[in-house]
Amino acid sequence: MSEHMRIGEVAARTGLSLRTIRYYEEVGLVEPSARSQGGFRLYTEPDVARLDLVKRMKPLGFQLDEMREVLLLLHDHGRGELRPEHAQRLRHYAEIAQRRCAELRERLETAEAFAVELRAPIQCEGTVT
């Protein structure tokens, strides 16, 4: 049997707030594997992995329903039950993720260029090292 973790440990491991983890449970993205006798949420390693996936989808702009579908498709794949039409859906999401990563890289390059531009006059003055 897997070792269970309480929500605080899961929050520390994932970098997500308790509130965010509870919200993800509320909207059906991640459910705790069990509850203690006192009603505390108990999570397993697969639960933490699922939260990590959600955390990685968030900056790419995936909506809740898209996240649910991706999680379901990946779960089916992990069990060896991925049908051809589901594989096509995963390819679709992979393409979206690739495109959004490229957009983020472009935005980051623009932001970094701006930061360099802001530092240039100050460095000429010798006040910033």
Side-chain angles (χ1 to χ4, degrees):
M1 185 168 153
S2 301
E3 182 179 327
H4 286 95
M5 296 164 270
R6 290 175 114 180
I7 194 170
E9 183 179 348
V10 173
R13 288 193 44 198
T14 61
L16 297 169
S17 69
L18 300 177
R19 183 177 179 177
T20 297
I21 295 170
R22 288 183 190 115
Y23 173 72
Y24 287 156
E25 177 186 354
E26 182 181 315
V27 297
L29 289 178
V30 178
E31 291 192 29
S33 290
R35 293 233 180 214
S36 70
Q37 287 183 344
F40 293 105
R41 293 166 175 85
L42 299 174
Y43 297 88
T44 60
E45 287 299 330
D47 300 329
V48 173
R50 192 170 168 100
L51 283 165
D52 279 334
L53 281 171
V54 171
K55 182 180 175 182
R56 291 187 305 214
M57 285 188 270
K58 187 72 175 149
L60 296 178
F62 283 97
Q63 301 299 311
L64 292 174
D65 58 334
E66 294 172 320
M67 290 182 188
R68 270 189 221 93
E69 184 177 12
V70 168
L71 291 168
L72 180 63
L73 293 169
L74 290 173
H75 179 72
D76 289 350
H77 176 264
R79 294 185 318 187
E81 300 175 3
L82 191 64
R83 298 191 314 241
E85 62 270 18
H86 292 171
Q88 181 60 34
R89 292 294 296 158
L90 269 181
R91 278 191 286 281
H92 169 73
Y93 285 122
E95 290 168 4
I96 290 172
Q98 286 292 101
R99 185 176 67 247
R100 290 178 182 169
C101 283
E103 292 166 358
L104 284 172
R105 277 191 290 279
E106 185 177 308
R107 290 179 63 197
L108 179 59
E109 288 173 9
T110 300
E112 287 174 335
F114 176 66
V116 167
E117 189 175 324
L118 282 177
R119 285 192 306 266
I122 299 168
Q123 288 174 334
C124 290
E125 294 292 323
T127 57
V128 172
T129 56

mmCIF file with all atom_site columns, all heavy atoms in Angstrom, residues 12-31:
data_model
loop_
_atom_site.group_PDB
_atom_site.id
_atom_site.type_symbol
_atom_site.label_atom_id
_atom_site.label_alt_id
_atom_site.label_comp_id
_atom_site.label_asym_id
_atom_site.label_entity_id
_atom_site.label_seq_id
_atom_site.pdbx_PDB_ins_code
_atom_site.Cartn_x
_atom_site.Cartn_y
_atom_site.Cartn_z
_atom_site.occupancy
_atom_site.B_iso_or_equiv
_atom_site.pdbx_formal_charge
_atom_site.auth_seq_id
_atom_site.auth_comp_id
_atom_site.auth_asym_id
_atom_site.auth_atom_id
_atom_site.pdbx_PDB_model_num
ATOM 1   N N   . ALA A 1 12 ? 3.893   21.463 0.032   1.00 0.00 ? 12 ALA A N   1
ATOM 2   C CA  . ALA A 1 12 ? 5.329   21.740 0.078   1.00 0.00 ? 12 ALA A CA  1
ATOM 3   C C   . ALA A 1 12 ? 6.044   21.083 -1.102  1.00 0.00 ? 12 ALA A C   1
ATOM 4   O O   . ALA A 1 12 ? 6.949   21.675 -1.696  1.00 0.00 ? 12 ALA A O   1
ATOM 5   C CB  . ALA A 1 12 ? 5.913   21.240 1.398   1.00 0.00 ? 12 ALA A CB  1
ATOM 6   N N   . ARG A 1 13 ? 5.656   19.886 -1.447  1.00 0.00 ? 13 ARG A N   1
ATOM 7   C CA  . ARG A 1 13 ? 6.313   19.169 -2.545  1.00 0.00 ? 13 ARG A CA  1
ATOM 8   C C   . ARG A 1 13 ? 5.987   19.746 -3.908  1.00 0.00 ? 13 ARG A C   1
ATOM 9   O O   . ARG A 1 13 ? 6.823   19.743 -4.806  1.00 0.00 ? 13 ARG A O   1
ATOM 10  C CB  . ARG A 1 13 ? 5.940   17.692 -2.501  1.00 0.00 ? 13 ARG A CB  1
ATOM 11  C CG  . ARG A 1 13 ? 6.614   16.989 -1.337  1.00 0.00 ? 13 ARG A CG  1
ATOM 12  C CD  . ARG A 1 13 ? 6.560   15.512 -1.389  1.00 0.00 ? 13 ARG A CD  1
ATOM 13  N NE  . ARG A 1 13 ? 6.855   14.961 -2.696  1.00 0.00 ? 13 ARG A NE  1
ATOM 14  C CZ  . ARG A 1 13 ? 6.528   13.726 -3.052  1.00 0.00 ? 13 ARG A CZ  1
ATOM 15  N NH1 . ARG A 1 13 ? 5.931   12.938 -2.192  1.00 0.00 ? 13 ARG A NH1 1
ATOM 16  N NH2 . ARG A 1 13 ? 6.819   13.280 -4.244  1.00 0.00 ? 13 ARG A NH2 1
ATOM 17  N N   . THR A 1 14 ? 4.764   20.230 -4.087  1.00 0.00 ? 14 THR A N   1
ATOM 18  C CA  . THR A 1 14 ? 4.355   20.716 -5.402  1.00 0.00 ? 14 THR A CA  1
ATOM 19  C C   . THR A 1 14 ? 4.538   22.214 -5.583  1.00 0.00 ? 14 THR A C   1
ATOM 20  O O   . THR A 1 14 ? 4.526   22.705 -6.703  1.00 0.00 ? 14 THR A O   1
ATOM 21  C CB  . THR A 1 14 ? 2.865   20.394 -5.663  1.00 0.00 ? 14 THR A CB  1
ATOM 22  O OG1 . THR A 1 14 ? 2.070   21.046 -4.673  1.00 0.00 ? 14 THR A OG1 1
ATOM 23  C CG2 . THR A 1 14 ? 2.613   18.889 -5.673  1.00 0.00 ? 14 THR A CG2 1
ATOM 24  N N   . GLY A 1 15 ? 4.657   22.945 -4.468  1.00 0.00 ? 15 GLY A N   1
ATOM 25  C CA  . GLY A 1 15 ? 4.731   24.400 -4.565  1.00 0.00 ? 15 GLY A CA  1
ATOM 26  C C   . GLY A 1 15 ? 3.363   25.037 -4.763  1.00 0.00 ? 15 GLY A C   1
ATOM 27  O O   . GLY A 1 15 ? 3.275   26.227 -5.049  1.00 0.00 ? 15 GLY A O   1
ATOM 28  N N   . LEU A 1 16 ? 2.311   24.256 -4.617  1.00 0.00 ? 16 LEU A N   1
ATOM 29  C CA  . LEU A 1 16 ? 0.954   24.780 -4.724  1.00 0.00 ? 16 LEU A CA  1
ATOM 30  C C   . LEU A 1 16 ? 0.435   25.120 -3.329  1.00 0.00 ? 16 LEU A C   1
ATOM 31  O O   . LEU A 1 16 ? 0.815   24.478 -2.359  1.00 0.00 ? 16 LEU A O   1
ATOM 32  C CB  . LEU A 1 16 ? 0.030   23.737 -5.362  1.00 0.00 ? 16 LEU A CB  1
ATOM 33  C CG  . LEU A 1 16 ? 0.358   23.336 -6.799  1.00 0.00 ? 16 LEU A CG  1
ATOM 34  C CD1 . LEU A 1 16 ? -0.464  22.120 -7.210  1.00 0.00 ? 16 LEU A CD1 1
ATOM 35  C CD2 . LEU A 1 16 ? 0.113   24.494 -7.747  1.00 0.00 ? 16 LEU A CD2 1
ATOM 36  N N   . SER A 1 17 ? -0.430  26.094 -3.257  1.00 0.00 ? 17 SER A N   1
ATOM 37  C CA  . SER A 1 17 ? -1.008  26.452 -1.959  1.00 0.00 ? 17 SER A CA  1
ATOM 38  C C   . SER A 1 17 ? -2.075  25.433 -1.566  1.00 0.00 ? 17 SER A C   1
ATOM 39  O O   . SER A 1 17 ? -2.625  24.718 -2.416  1.00 0.00 ? 17 SER A O   1
ATOM 40  C CB  . SER A 1 17 ? -1.627  27.846 -2.020  1.00 0.00 ? 17 SER A CB  1
ATOM 41  O OG  . SER A 1 17 ? -2.789  27.825 -2.837  1.00 0.00 ? 17 SER A OG  1
ATOM 42  N N   . LEU A 1 18 ? -2.373  25.383 -0.272  1.00 0.00 ? 18 LEU A N   1
ATOM 43  C CA  . LEU A 1 18 ? -3.443  24.514 0.202   1.00 0.00 ? 18 LEU A CA  1
ATOM 44  C C   . LEU A 1 18 ? -4.751  24.870 -0.501  1.00 0.00 ? 18 LEU A C   1
ATOM 45  O O   . LEU A 1 18 ? -5.520  23.985 -0.905  1.00 0.00 ? 18 LEU A O   1
ATOM 46  C CB  . LEU A 1 18 ? -3.619  24.654 1.714   1.00 0.00 ? 18 LEU A CB  1
ATOM 47  C CG  . LEU A 1 18 ? -2.412  24.313 2.596   1.00 0.00 ? 18 LEU A CG  1
ATOM 48  C CD1 . LEU A 1 18 ? -2.743  24.576 4.058   1.00 0.00 ? 18 LEU A CD1 1
ATOM 49  C CD2 . LEU A 1 18 ? -1.970  22.891 2.388   1.00 0.00 ? 18 LEU A CD2 1
ATOM 50  N N   . ARG A 1 19 ? -4.999  26.149 -0.635  1.00 0.00 ? 19 ARG A N   1
ATOM 51  C CA  . ARG A 1 19 ? -6.227  26.623 -1.273  1.00 0.00 ? 19 ARG A CA  1
ATOM 52  C C   . ARG A 1 19 ? -6.311  26.133 -2.721  1.00 0.00 ? 19 ARG A C   1
ATOM 53  O O   . ARG A 1 19 ? -7.375  25.718 -3.177  1.00 0.00 ? 19 ARG A O   1
ATOM 54  C CB  . ARG A 1 19 ? -6.259  28.146 -1.206  1.00 0.00 ? 19 ARG A CB  1
ATOM 55  C CG  . ARG A 1 19 ? -7.500  28.739 -1.774  1.00 0.00 ? 19 ARG A CG  1
ATOM 56  C CD  . ARG A 1 19 ? -7.504  30.231 -1.617  1.00 0.00 ? 19 ARG A CD  1
ATOM 57  N NE  . ARG A 1 19 ? -8.710  30.780 -2.200  1.00 0.00 ? 19 ARG A NE  1
ATOM 58  C CZ  . ARG A 1 19 ? -9.022  32.035 -2.169  1.00 0.00 ? 19 ARG A CZ  1
ATOM 59  N NH1 . ARG A 1 19 ? -8.242  32.900 -1.560  1.00 0.00 ? 19 ARG A NH1 1
ATOM 60  N NH2 . ARG A 1 19 ? -10.115 32.460 -2.735  1.00 0.00 ? 19 ARG A NH2 1
ATOM 61  N N   . THR A 1 20 ? -5.197  26.191 -3.436  1.00 0.00 ? 20 THR A N   1
ATOM 62  C CA  . THR A 1 20 ? -5.182  25.744 -4.826  1.00 0.00 ? 20 THR A CA  1
ATOM 63  C C   . THR A 1 20 ? -5.448  24.245 -4.924  1.00 0.00 ? 20 THR A C   1
ATOM 64  O O   . THR A 1 20 ? -6.233  23.794 -5.761  1.00 0.00 ? 20 THR A O   1
ATOM 65  C CB  . THR A 1 20 ? -3.835  26.092 -5.482  1.00 0.00 ? 20 THR A CB  1
ATOM 66  O OG1 . THR A 1 20 ? -3.694  27.523 -5.494  1.00 0.00 ? 20 THR A OG1 1
ATOM 67  C CG2 . THR A 1 20 ? -3.749  25.567 -6.904  1.00 0.00 ? 20 THR A CG2 1
ATOM 68  N N   . ILE A 1 21 ? -4.823  23.470 -4.050  1.00 0.00 ? 21 ILE A N   1
ATOM 69  C CA  . ILE A 1 21 ? -5.042  22.023 -4.058  1.00 0.00 ? 21 ILE A CA  1
ATOM 70  C C   . ILE A 1 21 ? -6.505  21.712 -3.762  1.00 0.00 ? 21 ILE A C   1
ATOM 71  O O   . ILE A 1 21 ? -7.116  20.869 -4.434  1.00 0.00 ? 21 ILE A O   1
ATOM 72  C CB  . ILE A 1 21 ? -4.098  21.325 -3.063  1.00 0.00 ? 21 ILE A CB  1
ATOM 73  C CG1 . ILE A 1 21 ? -2.643  21.493 -3.517  1.00 0.00 ? 21 ILE A CG1 1
ATOM 74  C CG2 . ILE A 1 21 ? -4.456  19.843 -2.927  1.00 0.00 ? 21 ILE A CG2 1
ATOM 75  C CD1 . ILE A 1 21 ? -1.618  21.052 -2.496  1.00 0.00 ? 21 ILE A CD1 1
ATOM 76  N N   . ARG A 1 22 ? -7.077  22.402 -2.805  1.00 0.00 ? 22 ARG A N   1
ATOM 77  C CA  . ARG A 1 22 ? -8.497  22.189 -2.490  1.00 0.00 ? 22 ARG A CA  1
ATOM 78  C C   . ARG A 1 22 ? -9.388  22.584 -3.665  1.00 0.00 ? 22 ARG A C   1
ATOM 79  O O   . ARG A 1 22 ? -10.380 21.927 -3.964  1.00 0.00 ? 22 ARG A O   1
ATOM 80  C CB  . ARG A 1 22 ? -8.885  22.975 -1.239  1.00 0.00 ? 22 ARG A CB  1
ATOM 81  C CG  . ARG A 1 22 ? -8.312  22.401 0.029   1.00 0.00 ? 22 ARG A CG  1
ATOM 82  C CD  . ARG A 1 22 ? -8.789  23.184 1.259   1.00 0.00 ? 22 ARG A CD  1
ATOM 83  N NE  . ARG A 1 22 ? -8.068  22.784 2.434   1.00 0.00 ? 22 ARG A NE  1
ATOM 84  C CZ  . ARG A 1 22 ? -7.249  23.561 3.136   1.00 0.00 ? 22 ARG A CZ  1
ATOM 85  N NH1 . ARG A 1 22 ? -7.065  24.830 2.776   1.00 0.00 ? 22 ARG A NH1 1
ATOM 86  N NH2 . ARG A 1 22 ? -6.625  23.101 4.199   1.00 0.00 ? 22 ARG A NH2 1
ATOM 87  N N   . TYR A 1 23 ? -9.015  23.677 -4.328  1.00 0.00 ? 23 TYR A N   1
ATOM 88  C CA  . TYR A 1 23 ? -9.776  24.114 -5.504  1.00 0.00 ? 23 TYR A CA  1
ATOM 89  C C   . TYR A 1 23 ? -9.709  23.059 -6.605  1.00 0.00 ? 23 TYR A C   1
ATOM 90  O O   . TYR A 1 23 ? -10.733 22.735 -7.219  1.00 0.00 ? 23 TYR A O   1
ATOM 91  C CB  . TYR A 1 23 ? -9.244  25.462 -6.012  1.00 0.00 ? 23 TYR A CB  1
ATOM 92  C CG  . TYR A 1 23 ? -9.875  25.887 -7.308  1.00 0.00 ? 23 TYR A CG  1
ATOM 93  C CD1 . TYR A 1 23 ? -11.199 26.326 -7.343  1.00 0.00 ? 23 TYR A CD1 1
ATOM 94  C CD2 . TYR A 1 23 ? -9.163  25.825 -8.497  1.00 0.00 ? 23 TYR A CD2 1
ATOM 95  C CE1 . TYR A 1 23 ? -11.793 26.696 -8.543  1.00 0.00 ? 23 TYR A CE1 1
ATOM 96  C CE2 . TYR A 1 23 ? -9.748  26.195 -9.697  1.00 0.00 ? 23 TYR A CE2 1
ATOM 97  C CZ  . TYR A 1 23 ? -11.063 26.628 -9.720  1.00 0.00 ? 23 TYR A CZ  1
ATOM 98  O OH  . TYR A 1 23 ? -11.647 26.989 -10.900 1.00 0.00 ? 23 TYR A OH  1
ATOM 99  N N   . TYR A 1 24 ? -8.521  22.525 -6.852  1.00 0.00 ? 24 TYR A N   1
ATOM 100 C CA  . TYR A 1 24 ? -8.390  21.493 -7.881  1.00 0.00 ? 24 TYR A CA  1
ATOM 101 C C   . TYR A 1 24 ? -9.227  20.263 -7.539  1.00 0.00 ? 24 TYR A C   1
ATOM 102 O O   . TYR A 1 24 ? -9.745  19.593 -8.429  1.00 0.00 ? 24 TYR A O   1
ATOM 103 C CB  . TYR A 1 24 ? -6.930  21.116 -8.092  1.00 0.00 ? 24 TYR A CB  1
ATOM 104 C CG  . TYR A 1 24 ? -6.120  22.178 -8.820  1.00 0.00 ? 24 TYR A CG  1
ATOM 105 C CD1 . TYR A 1 24 ? -4.750  22.241 -8.678  1.00 0.00 ? 24 TYR A CD1 1
ATOM 106 C CD2 . TYR A 1 24 ? -6.726  23.118 -9.642  1.00 0.00 ? 24 TYR A CD2 1
ATOM 107 C CE1 . TYR A 1 24 ? -4.007  23.211 -9.342  1.00 0.00 ? 24 TYR A CE1 1
ATOM 108 C CE2 . TYR A 1 24 ? -5.999  24.089 -10.296 1.00 0.00 ? 24 TYR A CE2 1
ATOM 109 C CZ  . TYR A 1 24 ? -4.636  24.122 -10.148 1.00 0.00 ? 24 TYR A CZ  1
ATOM 110 O OH  . TYR A 1 24 ? -3.908  25.083 -10.811 1.00 0.00 ? 24 TYR A OH  1
ATOM 111 N N   . GLU A 1 25 ? -9.374  19.982 -6.264  1.00 0.00 ? 25 GLU A N   1
ATOM 112 C CA  . GLU A 1 25 ? -10.264 18.893 -5.857  1.00 0.00 ? 25 GLU A CA  1
ATOM 113 C C   . GLU A 1 25 ? -11.714 19.277 -6.141  1.00 0.00 ? 25 GLU A C   1
ATOM 114 O O   . GLU A 1 25 ? -12.484 18.485 -6.701  1.00 0.00 ? 25 GLU A O   1
ATOM 115 C CB  . GLU A 1 25 ? -10.098 18.580 -4.374  1.00 0.00 ? 25 GLU A CB  1
ATOM 116 C CG  . GLU A 1 25 ? -11.049 17.503 -3.892  1.00 0.00 ? 25 GLU A CG  1
ATOM 117 C CD  . GLU A 1 25 ? -11.016 17.273 -2.394  1.00 0.00 ? 25 GLU A CD  1
ATOM 118 O OE1 . GLU A 1 25 ? -10.176 17.866 -1.681  1.00 0.00 ? 25 GLU A OE1 1
ATOM 119 O OE2 . GLU A 1 25 ? -11.861 16.490 -1.930  1.00 0.00 ? 25 GLU A OE2 1
ATOM 120 N N   . GLU A 1 26 ? -12.077 20.495 -5.781  1.00 0.00 ? 26 GLU A N   1
ATOM 121 C CA  . GLU A 1 26 ? -13.449 20.969 -5.956  1.00 0.00 ? 26 GLU A CA  1
ATOM 122 C C   . GLU A 1 26 ? -13.898 20.910 -7.411  1.00 0.00 ? 26 GLU A C   1
ATOM 123 O O   . GLU A 1 26 ? -15.051 20.567 -7.703  1.00 0.00 ? 26 GLU A O   1
ATOM 124 C CB  . GLU A 1 26 ? -13.542 22.407 -5.431  1.00 0.00 ? 26 GLU A CB  1
ATOM 125 C CG  . GLU A 1 26 ? -14.908 23.027 -5.493  1.00 0.00 ? 26 GLU A CG  1
ATOM 126 C CD  . GLU A 1 26 ? -14.888 24.466 -4.981  1.00 0.00 ? 26 GLU A CD  1
ATOM 127 O OE1 . GLU A 1 26 ? -14.271 24.721 -3.927  1.00 0.00 ? 26 GLU A OE1 1
ATOM 128 O OE2 . GLU A 1 26 ? -15.491 25.321 -5.651  1.00 0.00 ? 26 GLU A OE2 1
ATOM 129 N N   . VAL A 1 27 ? -12.984 21.234 -8.342  1.00 0.00 ? 27 VAL A N   1
ATOM 130 C CA  . VAL A 1 27 ? -13.347 21.260 -9.766  1.00 0.00 ? 27 VAL A CA  1
ATOM 131 C C   . VAL A 1 27 ? -13.100 19.916 -10.449 1.00 0.00 ? 27 VAL A C   1
ATOM 132 O O   . VAL A 1 27 ? -13.273 19.789 -11.656 1.00 0.00 ? 27 VAL A O   1
ATOM 133 C CB  . VAL A 1 27 ? -12.630 22.402 -10.520 1.00 0.00 ? 27 VAL A CB  1
ATOM 134 C CG1 . VAL A 1 27 ? -13.060 23.759 -9.969  1.00 0.00 ? 27 VAL A CG1 1
ATOM 135 C CG2 . VAL A 1 27 ? -11.123 22.230 -10.498 1.00 0.00 ? 27 VAL A CG2 1
ATOM 136 N N   . GLY A 1 28 ? -12.680 18.929 -9.677  1.00 0.00 ? 28 GLY A N   1
ATOM 137 C CA  . GLY A 1 28 ? -12.556 17.582 -10.212 1.00 0.00 ? 28 GLY A CA  1
ATOM 138 C C   . GLY A 1 28 ? -11.278 17.250 -10.945 1.00 0.00 ? 28 GLY A C   1
ATOM 139 O O   . GLY A 1 28 ? -11.236 16.287 -11.704 1.00 0.00 ? 28 GLY A O   1
ATOM 140 N N   . LEU A 1 29 ? -10.226 18.016 -10.726 1.00 0.00 ? 29 LEU A N   1
ATOM 141 C CA  . LEU A 1 29 ? -8.954  17.702 -11.379 1.00 0.00 ? 29 LEU A CA  1
ATOM 142 C C   . LEU A 1 29 ? -8.161  16.644 -10.614 1.00 0.00 ? 29 LEU A C   1
ATOM 143 O O   . LEU A 1 29 ? -7.554  15.760 -11.217 1.00 0.00 ? 29 LEU A O   1
ATOM 144 C CB  . LEU A 1 29 ? -8.091  18.959 -11.530 1.00 0.00 ? 29 LEU A CB  1
ATOM 145 C CG  . LEU A 1 29 ? -8.555  19.978 -12.558 1.00 0.00 ? 29 LEU A CG  1
ATOM 146 C CD1 . LEU A 1 29 ? -7.640  21.190 -12.553 1.00 0.00 ? 29 LEU A CD1 1
ATOM 147 C CD2 . LEU A 1 29 ? -8.623  19.372 -13.941 1.00 0.00 ? 29 LEU A CD2 1
ATOM 148 N N   . VAL A 1 30 ? -8.143  16.778 -9.310  1.00 0.00 ? 30 VAL A N   1
ATOM 149 C CA  . VAL A 1 30 ? -7.371  15.857 -8.467  1.00 0.00 ? 30 VAL A CA  1
ATOM 150 C C   . VAL A 1 30 ? -8.168  15.593 -7.204  1.00 0.00 ? 30 VAL A C   1
ATOM 151 O O   . VAL A 1 30 ? -8.631  16.535 -6.565  1.00 0.00 ? 30 VAL A O   1
ATOM 152 C CB  . VAL A 1 30 ? -5.995  16.456 -8.098  1.00 0.00 ? 30 VAL A CB  1
ATOM 153 C CG1 . VAL A 1 30 ? -5.222  15.531 -7.185  1.00 0.00 ? 30 VAL A CG1 1
ATOM 154 C CG2 . VAL A 1 30 ? -5.193  16.772 -9.347  1.00 0.00 ? 30 VAL A CG2 1
ATOM 155 N N   . GLU A 1 31 ? -8.316  14.341 -6.881  1.00 0.00 ? 31 GLU A N   1
ATOM 156 C CA  . GLU A 1 31 ? -8.991  13.986 -5.634  1.00 0.00 ? 31 GLU A CA  1
ATOM 157 C C   . GLU A 1 31 ? -8.017  13.241 -4.748  1.00 0.00 ? 31 GLU A C   1
ATOM 158 O O   . GLU A 1 31 ? -7.208  12.458 -5.248  1.00 0.00 ? 31 GLU A O   1
ATOM 159 C CB  . GLU A 1 31 ? -10.205 13.096 -5.918  1.00 0.00 ? 31 GLU A CB  1
ATOM 160 C CG  . GLU A 1 31 ? -11.317 13.839 -6.608  1.00 0.00 ? 31 GLU A CG  1
ATOM 161 C CD  . GLU A 1 31 ? -12.604 13.042 -6.632  1.00 0.00 ? 31 GLU A CD  1
ATOM 162 O OE1 . GLU A 1 31 ? -12.813 12.237 -5.705  1.00 0.00 ? 31 GLU A OE1 1
ATOM 163 O OE2 . GLU A 1 31 ? -13.370 13.245 -7.571  1.00 0.00 ? 31 GLU A OE2 1
#
